[in-house]
Amino acid sequence: MTQAYASPTVSSAIGASAAAPISPERKRSALKSIFIVASGNFLEMFDFMVFGYYATYIAKAFFPTGSEFASLMLTLMTFGAGFLMRPVGALVLGAYIDRHGRRQGLLLTLGLMALGTLAIAITPTYAQIGVAAPIIILLGRLVQGLSAGVEVGGVSVYLNEIAPPNRKGFFCSWQSASQQAAVVFAALIGLLVSTSLDADTMQAWGWRIPFIIGCVMIPFLFVIRRHMEETDVFLKRKEHPKLGTILRTVGGNWGIVLQGTLMAVMTTVFFYMITAYTPTFGNKVLSLTPGASLFVTACVGLTNFVLLPVMGALSDRVGRMPLLITATVLGAVLAYPLMSWLVAAPSFGRLLTVELLLAAIYATYNGAFIVYLTEVIPAHVRTVGFSLAYSLATAIFGGFTPAISTALIGATGDKAIPGAWCAAAALLSLLSLVIGSRLAKRA
C-alpha cells in the first residue's frame, strides 16, 4: 500500500480520536442513521440469502436437466453470476454516489434491488414458459448484483463518515451486522416454511414465500431510507468529480484496489460458506434435515450479529492489524481440520460447532477489515474504491463459493474440501496483509 493512501488518512483518523466528545444529540442522530442506512443493506442480503437457501427448489423449477447435480450447479452458477455484475455496479454506481451523494445513491441501489427481487418472486417456472424462465431469473440476479456491487461500499462509507472519530470500527461493523440480521431472518422464515409445508407444496410454490416477503418489505424500506441525511464529509467537499475523473484516479492507484481485493477474499469466502452454502451443504452433503441446516444458519447469523460490533469496537481500542492477522492465521490453520472432523461423523451438533467457530473467525476479521478499508481510501473516491475492491473479491471468489465447493466435492470426493477453499482464502488475505504492511513501511 502506498504511503499516499495509507498514512494521511489513517493518521488523521488516529489524531482525531483525541477530539472533543460528541454531544448526546449527535450520538442519537448517528444511531438513528445507522438504523436507516442499514435497513436497505438488510434487504440486499436477505434477497441474496434466500436464493442460496432455496437453491434445490429453484434448480427443479427453472433449470430441469434430468440430472440433480447439473441442475443444482446451474442454479449455483446463476447465484454466482449476480456477483459478476458487482464490479460494474461498483464502478458506475460507486462513481454516481461519490459525485451525487451517499443518500441519493443508496436510494437508487434499493430500487434496483427491488426490481431484481420482484422478478425472481413472480417468474413462472420452466414448465410454464420454457427457456424464458431461467433467462428472467438470470437477469433478476444480474440486476441484484448491479445494486449489491455498491450497496456494501456505500453503506460502509456512509457509516464511516457519520461515526465519531474514535468509534469508526464500531459504527462500520453495523454494515455487516445488518447483513447477519438478514441471515437470521431469512433462515427463520425458511425454517418456518419448510416445517409447515410438505415437500411437494414447497416445490410447487412454497419456496417463493421468502421472496414475496422481501417484496412486501420494499415500500417500508424506501420510506425509512428517504429519511437519510447526507454526510457532513460529502457536503463540505467543494468539488464532486465526474465519472471519468474518478475512474482515472482509481486506475492511477490500482495498488490499493488490488490489496483491498485480496484482503476481502477471506471475508467474502467465509461469509458465503457459513451462510449461503450451509443449508445446501448440510442437506445434500451431510444428509441432515433442511430444518437442522437452516437452524444452524440462523445461529451463525445471530452469533455474527453479536460478535461483529464487539470486534469492530475492539479494533478501535487495539488497532485493526492485530485482529486481521489473528483471524487470517486461525482461518488458514483450522478451516480444513474442522471440516474433516465434521464430515467424519456428520451430526447437528458437529455442524453447529464447526459453523460457529468459523463464524467467530469471520467476525473477528470482518469487524476490523471493513473500517480498515474505508480508512485507507481517500474521501473523494471512497465509495467507488471500496466497492470495487470488495465486489471484485466477491465476484471472483466469495460469490462462487457454493458452486466451487460443490464442484470440488464432485471432483475430489472429499466432503471436507470446502474447508481447504476457506483456508486458501485466509492464506491469500494474510499474504496481502503482510506484503501491504511491509510496502507501507518502506514508502
Side-chain angles (χ1 to χ4, degrees):
M1 185 184 308
T2 62
Q3 187 77 5
Y5 270 89
S7 293
T9 310
V10 175
S11 297
S12 62
I14 296 173
S17 64
I22 304 299
S23 67
E25 292 76 13
R26 289 291 302 275
K27 288 182 179 179
R28 284 193 294 269
S29 176
L31 292 174
K32 178 182 177 182
S33 295
I34 288 177
F35 172 76
I36 290 173
V37 72
S39 61
N41 204 43
F42 172 94
L43 176 65
E44 179 255 326
M45 187 49 57
F46 176 83
D47 292 334
F48 266 66
M49 287 299 101
V50 294
F51 193 99
Y53 293 169
Y54 294 97
T56 54
Y57 297 105
I58 294 173
K60 293 179 180 179
F62 298 106
F63 302 94
T65 63
S67 166
E68 183 177 353
F69 176 78
S71 295
L72 181 59
M73 280 300 300
L74 285 172
T75 304
L76 294 178
M77 290 298 290
T78 302
F79 176 79
F83 296 97
L84 295 179
M85 288 298 290
R86 286 196 171 201
V88 179
L91 287 172
V92 178
L93 298 179
Y96 179 89
I97 291 176
D98 280 329
R99 178 166 175 77
H100 296 283
R102 316 313 189 197
R103 177 184 181 277
Q104 188 171 333
L106 288 174
L107 284 171
L108 175 61
T109 63
L110 182 59
L112 290 173
M113 182 59 65
L115 287 176
T117 303
L118 183 62
I120 296 173
I122 66 175
T123 299
T125 65
Y126 184 93
Q128 294 171 316
I129 62 172
V131 72
I135 292 176
I136 294 173
I137 295 299
L138 176 59
L139 291 175
R141 286 290 300 162
L142 294 179
V143 171
Q144 285 184 326
L146 184 71
S147 168
V150 76
E151 177 74 19
V152 171
V155 170
S156 299
V157 168
Y158 186 90
L159 293 173
N160 173 282
E161 292 181 351
I162 67 170
N166 60 341
R167 302 272 291 180
K168 291 185 180 293
F170 175 74
F171 271 59
C172 287
S173 68
W174 286 101
Q175 179 276 126
S176 297
S178 68
Q179 294 184 333
Q180 306 307 317
V183 170
V184 175
F185 185 57
L188 291 178
I189 288 177
L191 184 61
L192 178 63
V193 171
S194 64
T195 55
S196 302
L197 303 176
D198 58 58
D200 291 338
T201 305
M202 279 295 300
Q203 185 60 61
W205 54 267
W207 64 268
R208 295 183 188 269
I209 293 176
F211 289 98
I212 295 172
I213 291 175
C215 292
V216 171
M217 289 191 294
I218 290 170
F220 173 69
L221 295 177
F222 261 113
V223 171
I224 291 178
R225 188 165 272 193
R226 284 180 65 85
H227 287 85
M228 286 175 56
E229 297 178 359
E230 189 54 77
T231 68
D232 291 338
V233 174
F234 181 84
L235 292 174
K236 290 177 180 178
R237 279 166 40 198
K238 296 181 179 180
E239 296 184 2
H240 302 290
K242 296 181 179 179
L243 174 60
T245 303
I246 292 174
L247 295 182
R248 284 193 295 271
T249 302
V250 172
N253 294 274
W254 59 269
I256 185 67
V257 175
L258 177 60
Q259 187 193 350
T261 299
L262 296 178
M263 285 180 59
V265 169
M266 174 173 171
T267 199
T268 59
V269 167
F270 268 66
F271 176 75
Y272 287 102
M273 178 66 71
I274 62 177
T275 56
Y277 187 56
T278 293
T280 301
F281 182 73
N283 186 15
K284 294 298 182 182
V285 179
L286 303 181
S287 299
L288 302 179
T289 65
S293 300
L294 285 169
F295 182 79
V296 169
T297 306
C299 291
V300 166
L302 183 60
T303 300
N304 286 334
F305 182 79
V306 173
L307 286 181
L308 280 165
V310 171
M311 294 304 174
L314 182 61
S315 76
D316 288 327
R317 292 181 174 272
V318 305
R320 321 300 183 201
M321 198 59 69
L323 297 185
L324 295 173
I325 296 295
T326 298
T328 49
V329 170
L330 289 176
V333 171
L334 295 179
Y336 186 73
L338 285 173
M339 281 291 188
S340 297
W341 177 73
L342 169 60
V343 302
S347 67
F348 169 79
R350 288 199 177 198
L351 178 62
L352 180 62
T353 300
V354 170
E355 293 286 336
L356 292 185
L357 288 173
L358 293 178
I361 294 172
Y362 159 79
T364 301
Y365 186 81
N366 190 270
F369 165 70
I370 295 296
V371 64
Y372 179 83
L373 193 56
T374 63
E375 288 174 335
V376 298
I377 299 177
H380 63 290
V381 293
R382 185 169 287 155
T383 304
V384 66
F386 183 105
S387 299
L388 183 59
Y390 198 92
S391 61
L392 283 172
T394 306
I396 300 171
F397 298 94
F400 283 98
T401 287
I404 290 172
S405 298
T406 300
L408 288 174
I409 292 173
T412 65
D414 183 0
K415 295 180 180 179
I417 200 68
W421 174 242
C422 288
L427 183 59
L428 186 59
S429 291
L430 174 61
L431 292 175
S432 175
L433 285 166
V434 173
I435 294 173
S437 177
R438 291 181 177 179
L439 290 177
K441 291 179 180 179
R442 293 176 184 177

